[in-house]
Amino acid sequence: MIRIVAKTELSRKRTTCMRIFAVTVALAAAAVIMLCMKLNPLKIYGQIIAGSLGSAYRFRETVNKAIPLTVLSLGIGIAFRMKFWNIGAEGQLFMGAFGASLVAFAFPNMPRPVLLICMMLSSFIFGGLWALVPAGLKIKFNASETLVTLMLNYVAQLWIGYLQYGPWRDPAANGFPKIAHFTQNAVLPKLFGIHVGWILTLTLAVIFSVVFRRTKFGYEIDVLGESEATAHYAGINVPRVLLVTVMLSGGLCGFAGMMQASAIENSLSEQLSGGMGFTAVITTWLAQLDPLLMVLVSFLFSMLIQGGNFLQSAMRIPSSMSQILEGIIIFFVLGSEFFIRYRFVIVKKPHQTATEAEK
């Protein structure tokens, strides 16, 4: 008989090696699938790298995708550490972009530094308030935050679609359903050819790494995530920590929306996200909720996305090939978590007694 037994906690070095091995096996499995499709896996992997890093322009595009993905991962990760399953980053991104757009359209001639700061604050508030809806329902009615945050994604996106096709439709667009562009004052400046969001993103990753490791607030989040009863026993104000953490989680996702609207789209659109809010759930989990690892994992996933787009144009291979690769990597990495935490043990059946043998 085979039983599943929990392992004693492995060292960080060993768990890292197991995850790297899982990614290696995933790449090998993906190569087998490519061979079955009569494709050269080495050539495809090479084209993905070339398509994401092969020129200054491609590298900038990869970083532009990694910036919001990292900030969304940071926002989701804060909630996940508390075992609040925020699947609503997509909707919070849209509402943050909406909040930033309100300020951009209301004060188009405000000095650029002041306007950008106001847009950031507005996006944080709108994204945070949107996340507080499921938090309030959880506290009051014990509603599932997973379902509520998931459903609010579609509400937020439909709201942006209503604005785009309705009251905010640009009359100068000759009937095309689009929202007018921001003034130059509302666009994030660039540094080394990439908008300054990359500096803000790296700063946020370092700050939250310190918060989780060195501060009382980070400790309270982790304790609440382990056990609500323990948090009460330790004297932690559970509703306060829950609301502040969720507000922070949604606010960061909203801030990602502001950067995407200001620096990339220069406007508000229902195609603003491109599904990044859902991809960020994956990168958050693969990074094991570590803020610094989120930077690396988000960049690697951005390479897959950008490289997949290049595959379609350079090799006439559907960009969904990169999505297949993403799925295989996720499958093997999540599978490795089982072997990190558990092991199989063969238990021999006890010998039959004489009475049982007679029967």
Side-chain angles (χ1 to χ4, degrees):
M1 183 172 62
I2 299 176
R3 293 181 60 189
I4 299 173
V5 179
K7 285 183 179 179
T8 55
E9 188 171 348
L10 298 178
S11 66
R12 187 178 183 87
K13 181 179 179 181
R14 190 168 180 184
T15 55
T16 302
C17 288
M18 290 186 70
R19 290 183 183 120
I20 293 173
F21 177 74
V23 173
T24 305
V25 174
L27 293 175
V32 172
I33 294 175
M34 293 174 196
L35 288 172
C36 293
M37 298 171 65
K38 298 181 179 180
L39 299 172
N40 185 338
L42 294 179
K43 187 175 181 181
I44 289 179
Y45 288 146
Q47 289 295 324
I48 288 176
I49 294 173
S52 55
L53 305 176
S55 68
Y57 169 77
R58 295 170 193 166
F59 176 75
R60 287 196 299 269
E61 288 300 302
T62 301
V63 175
N64 282 335
K65 290 177 174 62
I67 290 169
L69 192 56
T70 303
V71 177
L72 288 168
S73 300
L74 290 171
I76 294 172
I78 294 170
F80 277 17
R81 290 182 80 100
M82 193 179 57
K83 299 295 190 296
F84 183 93
W85 307 115
N86 180 13
I87 315 297
E90 189 91 352
Q92 291 146 27
L93 178 147
F94 277 116
M95 294 308 292
F98 167 64
S101 300
L102 275 177
V103 175
F105 290 136
F107 308 101
N109 298 318
M110 186 182 289
R112 190 177 197 178
V114 179
L115 178 57
L116 289 174
I117 291 173
C118 290
M119 289 171 65
M120 291 177 188
L121 291 174
S122 180
S123 68
F124 185 91
I125 292 170
F126 272 77
L129 291 176
W130 197 249
L132 283 182
V133 174
L137 291 174
K138 183 178 178 65
I139 293 173
K140 185 68 176 177
F141 304 107
N142 197 30
S144 169
E145 71 274 15
T146 306
L147 292 176
V148 177
T149 53
L150 182 63
M151 290 187 292
L152 285 176
N153 288 331
Y154 304 104
V155 176
Q157 187 171 9
L158 289 171
W159 168 245
I160 302 302
Y162 164 73
L163 294 175
Q164 182 174 329
Y165 285 83
W168 281 16
R169 186 170 181 167
D170 185 6
N174 297 320
F176 190 77
K178 65 182 291 291
I179 296 172
H181 286 291
F182 297 158
T183 60
Q184 193 59 34
N185 287 357
V187 177
L188 284 170
K190 292 184 178 181
L191 183 64
F192 303 124
I194 306 169
H195 69 85
V196 295
W198 68 270
I199 298 177
L200 300 174
T201 300
L202 292 177
T203 303
L204 286 171
V206 172
I207 289 173
F208 281 103
S209 182
V210 173
V211 167
F212 291 138
R213 288 180 171 87
R214 303 290 182 183
T215 67
K216 178 185 175 184
F217 179 62
Y219 169 76
E220 289 176 337
I221 292 174
D222 288 338
V223 171
L224 183 54
E226 289 298 323
S227 169
E228 186 174 334
T230 304
H232 281 295
Y233 183 77
I236 296 173
N237 188 333
V238 172
R240 179 185 63 82
V241 173
L242 175 64
L243 292 175
V244 171
T245 304
V246 173
M247 179 74 184
L248 196 56
S249 173
L252 282 173
C253 295
F255 177 56
M258 176 270 169
M259 290 194 293
Q260 193 71 2
S262 172
I264 305 300
E265 299 291 335
N266 303 143
S267 182
L268 183 64
S269 167
E270 62 178 348
Q271 284 81 38
L272 185 72
S273 169
M276 283 188 298
F278 297 111
T279 305
V281 175
I282 299 168
T283 54
T284 303
W285 195 255
L286 291 180
Q288 298 297 299
L289 310 184
D290 186 310
L292 297 181
L293 271 180
M294 289 174 192
V295 177
L296 175 61
V297 174
S298 297
F299 183 77
L300 293 176
F301 260 71
S302 299
M303 285 179 60
L304 284 176
I305 296 169
Q306 178 63 23
N309 295 335
F310 182 75
L311 281 178
Q312 190 165 4
S313 59
M315 297 182 65
R316 307 285 184 181
I317 295 173
S319 60
S320 56
M321 177 57 69
S322 66
Q323 295 173 344
I324 293 173
L325 185 56
E326 289 175 23
I328 293 173
I329 291 173
I330 294 164
F331 176 80
F332 277 92
V333 172
L334 293 182
S336 71
E337 293 300 312
F338 175 85
F339 293 100
I340 289 172
R341 301 186 184 195
Y342 303 97
R343 61 190 175 92
F344 292 107
V345 176
I346 299 176
V347 180
K348 295 182 179 179
K349 291 184 178 180
H351 294 293
Q352 290 179 315
T353 62
T355 306
E356 289 174 335
E358 291 174 1
K359 290 180 179 179

